Amino acid sequence: MESQSAKPIIAALLQPLPVLTQPQARNDLSDESVVRLLVGQFIDLSLGAFNQVLQGNLDQDEAVDGINRQAIALNSVFLGTSGFETVITHPWNSPDQLGAFLKDVVALEYPEDDCVRAMLIHLATQLMHALRLPDEERIEEVEALTLDAADLLLGRAPEDDDEIDIDIGA
């Protein structure tokens, strides 16, 4: 299977939808639906790669490389360094804001300018474990992980009463 660059995938996701009243529509990273879409696409890519590995259609290292490339691309989007003109960023979308928040809330031991990538890689690891669950439990866990990751990228700590959270611990 041929490997794709993550930049074109991200660029395709961030193309504004054609809206008659807003010909110059852009994706605002403070919009929950935009953030959920990006997280959902990352989750779909990760689950697809893991399923390809399980079916023997993709080498595990290739799958991990593809997921990491996507996480790196999303890191640049969420930290405001992607250069995509279709993305509206805010002061929050910076290493000293979002990166520091993720480093603190998720207990990441990575530089602030790499914390979105690190959080997404950990999310992918949790998704890999979710594949072992029965269908109904897997669906619930993936939904909870999606919401938690979107909340984190929007600057909201996941609910304490959630059974599933993104937390890197020993």
Side-chain angles (χ1 to χ4, degrees):
M1 176 175 225
E2 192 170 316
S3 178
Q4 273 190 305
S5 169
K7 280 283 190 185
I9 295 169
I10 295 296
L13 286 174
L14 293 173
Q15 290 304 310
L17 297 173
V19 178
L20 297 178
T21 58
Q22 290 183 319
Q24 299 298 323
R26 294 171 66 193
N27 296 290
D28 190 329
L29 291 182
S30 68
D31 182 337
E32 189 168 348
S33 64
V34 170
V35 173
R36 282 193 184 174
L37 172 70
L38 292 170
V39 169
Q41 292 295 325
F42 177 80
I43 286 173
D44 289 347
L45 176 130
S46 299
L47 289 173
F50 293 139
N51 279 319
Q52 289 292 317
V53 169
L54 291 173
Q55 294 171 9
N57 299 330
L58 185 65
D59 178 69
Q60 184 173 343
D61 290 338
E62 289 178 58
V64 169
D65 288 345
I67 290 167
N68 191 51
R69 279 192 305 275
Q70 189 78 0
I72 289 168
L74 285 170
N75 189 73
S76 71
V77 167
F78 280 102
L79 295 181
T81 61
S82 70
F84 291 127
E85 293 179 13
T86 59
V87 177
I88 299 171
T89 59
H90 302 275
W92 169 251
N93 299 111
S94 66
D96 62 331
Q97 294 283 321
L98 177 55
F101 172 78
L102 291 174
K103 188 172 186 162
D104 181 50
V105 172
V106 188
L108 297 170
E109 294 184 16
Y110 291 87
E112 292 170 352
D113 64 353
D114 193 36
C115 282
V116 173
R117 183 201 64 81
M119 186 271 295
L120 290 171
I121 293 300
H122 184 67
L123 172 61
T125 302
Q126 290 179 305
L127 292 168
M128 183 175 59
H129 294 297
L131 287 175
R132 298 180 184 143
L133 297 173
D135 286 349
E136 187 174 312
E137 288 179 43
R138 181 178 62 247
I139 291 167
E140 287 177 17
E141 180 148 345
V142 169
E143 286 176 11
L145 289 169
T146 302
L147 294 176
D148 283 353
D151 280 348
L152 286 167
L153 292 169
L154 289 164
R156 301 185 297 232
E159 297 290 325
D160 290 335
D161 60 347
D162 284 349
E163 290 181 24
I164 301 155
D165 64 330
I166 298 175
D167 184 24
I168 298 176

